[in-house]
Amino acid sequence: MRKLKEFTIPFVGLKLGQHRFEFSIDNRFFEHFEYDEFNSADIKVDLLLEKKTTMMELTFKASGTVNIQCDLTDEPYDQPIQSELFLVVKFGEEYNDDNEELLILPHGEYEVNVQQYIYELIVLSVPSKRVHPGVEDGTLRSEVLEKLEELSPGEKEVKEEEDIDPRWNKLKNLLNDK
């Protein structure tokens, strides 16, 4: 996959210590990943990079909203996003990102691209079951919701005792007589 240059951080010229980076994420970011689950996105990602002598620590904090479809009613709604990710970057013989909390870059590397980590941070922070807040509190009115309520099984009316065959009543009395 092609790397977006605005998410590439050249760390070789940075002094030891903490450095802050901010990213604004919208739908163009997700189009790059061919991810079309979001109608729109407005997310801010704050990245704190702490450079140490032999490694780096990256702390991602994402907050904002994504507009998605409700799984029950198919109505669009804004889902708030709040998520964090901690990543340790070390240096080794070859590139390795098998561990989700550790990234190994080859010796001599001078930059790190964080687009994949930001993508996963945001996508995984959306609940797997997407329910419109109006469905949960009962304020949403839609045709789909009304149809679901109409077709949902209700409580069956219990027939009154009068409709029961009298022979069954005699059998019930056997259970009560001990």
Side-chain angles (χ1 to χ4, degrees):
M1 171 172 291
R2 189 174 53 85
K3 292 183 179 179
L4 299 169
K5 67 179 181 179
E6 62 262 29
F7 297 99
T8 301
I9 300 172
F11 56 81
V12 79
L14 298 177
K15 295 179 182 177
L16 295 180
Q18 295 184 346
H19 304 276
R20 290 199 177 282
F21 299 90
E22 290 184 3
F23 303 100
S24 293
I25 308 296
D26 57 12
N27 263 15
R28 287 177 289 153
F29 177 78
F30 295 104
E31 288 170 3
H32 176 75
F33 287 92
E34 297 177 6
Y35 186 78
D36 59 358
E37 294 281 319
F38 301 154
N39 299 326
S40 65
D42 181 23
I43 300 168
K44 302 283 183 247
V45 177
D46 292 319
L47 170 60
L48 177 65
L49 183 146
E50 186 168 352
K51 186 175 179 183
K52 299 183 178 183
T53 54
T54 59
M55 65 179 207
M56 295 182 294
E57 294 177 347
L58 304 175
T59 305
F60 298 86
K61 291 184 181 180
S63 62
T65 59
V66 291
N67 188 280
I68 54 178
Q69 300 297 118
C70 174
D71 288 339
L72 298 175
T73 63
D74 203 37
E75 294 285 328
Y77 75 99
D78 287 334
Q79 173 70 45
I81 298 292
Q82 197 78 24
S83 190
E84 286 189 30
L85 173 69
F86 182 73
L87 177 68
V88 175
V89 180
K90 291 190 173 188
F91 298 94
E93 294 300 317
E94 59 184 36
Y95 180 88
N96 186 343
D97 64 352
D98 292 342
N99 187 332
E100 60 192 39
E101 296 173 357
L102 176 66
L103 171 64
I104 298 176
L105 294 176
H107 293 292
E109 194 69 36
Y110 61 93
E111 62 187 13
V112 61
N113 188 288
V114 295
Q115 72 184 18
Q116 185 67 34
Y117 295 100
I118 292 174
Y119 169 76
E120 291 174 7
L121 173 70
I122 295 170
V123 169
L124 294 176
S125 65
V126 175
S128 57
K129 184 172 182 179
R130 304 164 181 183
V131 180
H132 193 291
V135 172
E136 292 175 346
D137 63 17
T139 59
L140 179 68
R141 297 288 169 235
S142 73
E143 291 179 27
V144 173
L145 207 52
E146 290 171 8
K147 193 68 173 174
L148 281 173
E149 287 176 16
E150 179 185 316
L151 295 175
S152 68
E155 292 184 23
K156 294 183 179 179
E157 294 181 24
V158 179
K159 293 184 179 180
E160 295 187 22
E161 297 285 329
E162 300 166 6
D163 295 344
I164 298 176
D165 188 334
R167 292 175 286 182
W168 288 112
N169 285 333
K170 293 284 184 193
L171 290 174
K172 281 185 190 177
N173 287 337
L174 288 175
L175 288 174
N176 295 335
D177 295 338
K178 291 183 180 180

